[in-house]
Amino acid sequence: MMNRNIINEIEKLSKRPKLFEKGTGNIWTEPYISTQMLKAHLDYKSDRASRNIEKVKKTVTFLKETTNKGEGILDLGCGPGLYAEEFCRNGYKVTGIDFSSNSINYAKESANKQGLNIEYRCEDMFNINYNEKYDTVIQVFGEVNTFSDENRNKLFDKVKNALKPGGLFIFDVSTPVHRRKNGLNKNWYVSDCGFWRGEAHIVFEEGFEYSDNIWLDQFIVIDNEEIKVYRNWFHEYTLNTIKEIVLENGFSKVNVLNGLYSKEVEEDSEWLTVIAAK
């Protein structure tokens, strides 16, 4: 039976947090969970962590029409290198950066096995300091959605500094349509072994909706040793809001496309691809 201290702690962590307040756990740096994340990235038929391999290839094919072969590409949040490898095979010079040491170590090993010349760095993308080195910077699968306005704008400044004059920042964002389709979870379960822990644990899932199209997916995880809360924040964007934000952050022009490929944006678009020029 749970004691009163555990119940009080769960009750405290279940309260609606302030906007973009961090949790006590980190899925990218904790050894067990980061290994689970890597497995999800490498499930080539799934869209759980990375898009499935066919979508990855189609995305790279589309982006080849936007960029020129041989240009330097900086892949932010590169994970295990799925996009970086495809670009390298197509003649691009690629640098991949990711916060997860598990992902970067796998990416380096994979590139070496295949004879692909890709530079990988285990680094926080908010700490990069490049000066007009790259023709294109990419960030895929909605990572921009997970940042507060302050961090998003900080990253945009980092990207602008990294781009050569006329260079492109290409990223995708999900829209409020995507969130409404997927909804908010409120659930709990007990597991002997799963994504969050390799031992017996309890998970409480919660969802919170905020103003300005901001949502939180929260997971409280309890095991024999501790209680941790993991928070995944999402700021969804419409066509007009993402255009306005990109231009306010000093990019010279912006083009927004439907989904992952070149289509006209529709009212029910779940994803938008943004092409911003320095």
Side-chain angles (χ1 to χ4, degrees):
M1 180 178 295
M2 287 188 182
N3 63 40
R4 189 65 217 179
N5 289 335
I6 293 176
I7 294 174
N8 290 341
E9 183 67 13
I10 295 172
E11 183 180 16
K12 176 183 175 182
L13 293 173
S14 296
K15 293 185 182 299
R16 183 183 180 91
K18 296 179 181 178
L19 272 176
F20 289 96
E21 183 178 347
K22 292 183 178 180
T24 58
N26 190 312
I27 64 174
W28 303 109
T29 58
E30 294 180 24
Y32 178 80
I33 302 179
S34 63
T35 299
Q36 297 300 104
M37 285 297 297
L38 178 59
K39 290 179 181 178
H41 276 295
L42 298 176
D43 183 353
Y44 294 143
K45 295 182 180 181
S46 170
D47 290 341
R48 290 183 302 161
S50 294
R51 292 190 173 97
N52 69 68
I53 196 63
E54 292 304 316
K55 288 181 181 178
V56 170
K57 291 179 178 180
K58 287 181 179 179
T59 301
V60 171
T61 297
F62 163 67
L63 293 181
K64 283 166 58 182
E65 300 173 1
T66 305
T67 60
N68 295 319
K69 183 178 287 188
E71 289 184 340
I73 289 183
L74 176 62
D75 183 358
L76 296 178
C78 65
L82 304 183
Y83 290 89
E85 290 184 356
E86 284 297 317
F87 276 113
C88 186
R89 292 189 191 101
N90 282 276
Y92 291 81
K93 182 179 180 181
V94 187
T95 300
I97 290 178
D98 200 280
F99 190 54
S100 168
S101 59
N102 274 352
S103 290
I104 288 296
N105 289 338
Y106 176 91
K108 288 179 177 179
E109 183 178 349
S110 178
N112 287 336
K113 287 180 179 178
Q114 299 176 72
L116 298 175
N117 185 20
I118 304 173
E119 179 187 357
Y120 286 114
R121 299 178 59 182
C122 185
E123 184 177 4
D124 187 333
M125 69 181 72
F126 291 98
N127 294 332
I128 63 172
N129 189 25
Y130 294 111
N131 182 28
E132 298 187 352
K133 182 176 180 179
Y134 295 97
D135 300 278
T136 307
V137 176
I138 64 171
Q139 189 175 63
V140 293
F141 214 2
E143 231 175 325
V144 168
N145 290 100
T146 66
F147 304 140
S148 66
D149 290 358
E150 179 182 1
N151 282 340
R152 178 201 63 212
N153 295 345
K154 178 181 178 181
L155 180 68
F156 283 4
D157 281 338
K158 293 284 186 179
V159 169
K160 280 189 301 179
N161 290 337
L163 286 170
K164 297 176 182 177
L168 300 177
F169 180 30
I170 304 174
F171 62 96
D172 58 356
V173 291
S174 53
T175 71
V177 176
H178 179 74
R179 170 53 69 168
R180 286 196 295 270
K181 180 178 178 180
N182 289 277
L184 293 170
N185 291 328
K186 191 172 183 64
N187 185 33
W188 72 275
Y189 61 89
V190 179
S191 176
D192 290 330
C193 179
F195 174 82
W196 297 102
R197 296 291 187 270
E199 58 189 4
H201 60 284
I202 303 173
V203 179
F204 292 90
E205 299 180 3
E206 299 176 285
F208 299 91
E209 182 177 356
Y210 295 76
S211 60
D212 297 325
N213 291 318
I214 298 174
W215 284 267
L216 169 64
D217 293 334
Q218 177 168 281
F219 306 86
I220 300 172
V221 181
I222 307 166
D223 58 32
N224 287 328
E225 297 182 357
E226 59 187 352
I227 302 174
K228 281 192 175 182
V229 58
Y230 301 85
R231 291 179 177 144
N232 297 329
W233 291 94
F234 298 94
H235 183 179
E236 312 289 7
Y237 295 96
T238 66
L239 168 65
N240 290 331
T241 57
I242 196 61
K243 272 189 172 181
E244 181 180 350
I245 288 166
V246 168
L247 293 174
E248 286 178 350
N249 275 273
F251 289 90
S252 63
K253 58 182 178 180
V254 59
N255 187 25
V256 180
L257 309 174
N258 180 62
L260 306 177
Y261 317 114
S262 182
K263 298 178 183 177
E264 183 177 350
V265 177
E266 302 170 352
E267 289 186 3
D268 61 348
S269 296
E270 291 188 49
W271 287 90
L272 303 173
T273 294
V274 183
I275 305 174
K278 179 175 177 179

